[in-house]
Amino acid sequence: MRWTEEEYMDYLEKRGETTAKSKPKPSKYRSKKTWIDGICFDSKKEAAYYTSLQLLMKIGEIKGFCRQPEFVLVEGNEKDRAITYKADFIVFHNDGRSRVIDVKGYESEQWKRTYKQFRLKYPDINLEIVK
């Protein structure tokens, strides 16, 4: 039996399933994904910060930067995975200092808990929130 596209869509609707043509769900914090240099950023603000870091690197203000450095907050074991935190950027300055940067439009309760865990585990690392 061969179905037309309309028949297939009707069949899916009757079953209560969504189709690929349905509207995509908006992001949790209403941020818009943005593509720059073939990289997908979670928000326009994060993408703008990336371009500013590129500029700072080109003019020699910073040595370099990395995207999405990962930090282990709670070690895992055989049964449970480790709890990790991915920052947006780590910036390396010419004088040897480094900063961990997280670009936020909104500080959720989950973020506040993660921030506390990060501070406890890594008290010597400077974590900056860019709003």
Side-chain angles (χ1 to χ4, degrees):
M1 174 169 140
R2 297 200 94 142
W3 286 355
T4 65
E5 187 176 347
E6 291 172 5
E7 291 172 332
Y8 181 64
M9 297 297 173
D10 289 339
Y11 168 75
L12 288 177
E13 284 180 30
K14 287 177 186 173
R15 291 187 60 189
E17 296 180 19
T18 59
T19 63
K21 292 187 176 183
S22 64
K23 260 188 178 175
K25 186 179 173 185
S27 74
K28 190 174 182 179
Y29 300 110
R30 306 279 186 227
S31 62
K32 301 237 187 250
K33 296 230 182 242
T34 305
W35 286 84
I36 294 180
D37 295 339
I39 303 167
C40 182
F41 293 93
D42 290 334
S43 68
K44 289 181 181 180
K45 199 176 277 192
E46 185 180 341
Y49 198 80
Y50 170 78
T51 56
S52 69
L53 286 175
Q54 282 185 318
L55 222 112
L56 288 173
M57 198 167 84
K58 282 183 182 177
I59 63 173
E61 289 287 317
I62 60 173
K63 189 185 285 187
F65 67 95
C66 290
R67 289 186 55 249
Q68 298 188 332
E70 191 168 359
F71 299 91
V72 176
L73 299 178
V74 178
E75 299 293 330
N77 57 33
E78 293 174 5
K79 292 183 181 180
D80 299 320
R81 291 186 315 174
I83 297 174
T84 60
Y85 160 66
K86 267 189 193 174
D88 292 327
F89 303 99
I90 187 166
V91 180
F92 304 105
H93 292 274
N94 294 330
D95 61 0
R97 292 181 304 121
S98 63
R99 296 181 304 149
V100 177
I101 307 290
D102 207 312
V103 180
K104 292 278 178 224
Y106 168 76
E107 290 185 21
S108 67
E109 291 302 315
Q110 173 63 40
W111 162 249
K112 291 174 185 175
R113 286 189 294 273
T114 302
Y115 183 72
K116 284 180 185 177
Q117 283 182 311
F118 184 88
R119 283 269 147 242
L120 289 172
K121 179 85 178 197
Y122 302 101
D124 298 336
I125 297 178
N126 183 19
L127 174 60
E128 292 181 26
I129 294 100
V130 175
K131 291 185 180 184

